[in-house]
Amino acid sequence: MAHLAAHMIVHRDLAARNILLTERHVCKVSHFSLARHVDEEDIYESVSRRPLPLRWMSPESLSDGVFTSQSDVWSYGVLLWELVTLGASPYPDMTGKMVTELVTKGTQLQVPRSCPDDLSALMRSCWVMAAHQRPTFQAVVDMLGDINGDGRAATCD
């Protein structure tokens, strides 16, 4: 995702279902049907009415139809939550309207108690309401390197 962000590409559908695992246990981002190249302001405004992955979307994407690398960072936090919960669906038993209302009002997913503190902190930083206060994907890479303990981002080994 740091590579995509550096090339000004917004994925708009970052979720565990769109991550492929190679034979060597390397994670690859897939499913680029919603991806868009953004202009020099790093913003893409959605004007279509096609279905969107509401449960993974940031507050600004839900309320204003604005997508940036920072809204992808929000989705990355939800992807981490999916991994920690071993594939649970975010906001189960809620309608899309309910999810939209909760997220735009500032409600975050519950991080499981079994989640390590450093990973929990990373998830929460991805879910900061103000997009400009979320980490960049390069900062996420650095945080994952710190969590891994060797300065390198963890792989899916």
Side-chain angles (χ1 to χ4, degrees), residues 11-147:
H11 191 277
R12 299 195 318 151
D13 193 11
L14 187 58
R17 68 180 173 278
N18 294 328
I19 304 298
L20 302 175
L21 192 59
T22 70
E23 289 177 0
R24 294 184 179 201
H25 303 286
V26 175
C27 295
K28 303 280 187 170
V29 177
S30 69
H31 190 46
F32 288 89
S33 68
L34 293 178
R36 298 290 181 269
H37 185 271
V38 293
D39 62 16
E40 52 280 340
E41 294 178 8
D42 192 31
I43 297 173
Y44 175 83
E45 292 186 47
S46 179
V47 293
S48 71
R49 292 203 162 254
R50 64 190 296 188
L52 294 171
L54 298 177
R55 296 170 194 281
W56 287 262
M57 288 171 57
S58 67
E60 67 275 9
S61 298
L62 290 167
S63 63
D64 303 326
V66 172
F67 296 86
T68 65
S69 291
Q70 296 315 105
S71 59
D72 277 348
V73 167
W74 179 284
S75 302
Y76 183 78
V78 179
L79 183 153
L80 290 175
W81 181 90
E82 288 181 280
L83 295 176
V84 170
T85 61
L86 303 177
S89 179
Y91 311 100
D93 304 321
M94 291 187 186
T95 65
K97 183 177 180 176
M98 291 167 70
V99 170
T100 298
E101 288 174 5
L102 282 174
V103 170
T104 56
K105 288 180 182 174
T107 303
Q108 298 178 349
L109 288 164
Q110 279 295 113
V111 177
R113 287 182 219 172
S114 61
C115 183
D117 290 342
D118 46 10
L119 192 55
S120 175
L122 173 55
M123 272 188 257
R124 291 185 205 293
S125 72
C126 292
W127 298 330
V128 171
M129 287 295 287
H132 69 278
Q133 293 179 347
R134 294 179 205 138
T136 63
F137 275 113
Q138 187 55 56
V140 169
V141 169
D142 295 341
M143 286 183 248
L144 289 171
D146 291 343
I147 290 170

Side-chain angles (χ1 to χ4, degrees), residues 142-157:
D142 295 341
M143 286 183 248
L144 289 171
D146 291 343
I147 290 170
N148 197 31
D150 64 4
R152 297 180 306 121
T155 62
C156 293
D157 292 333

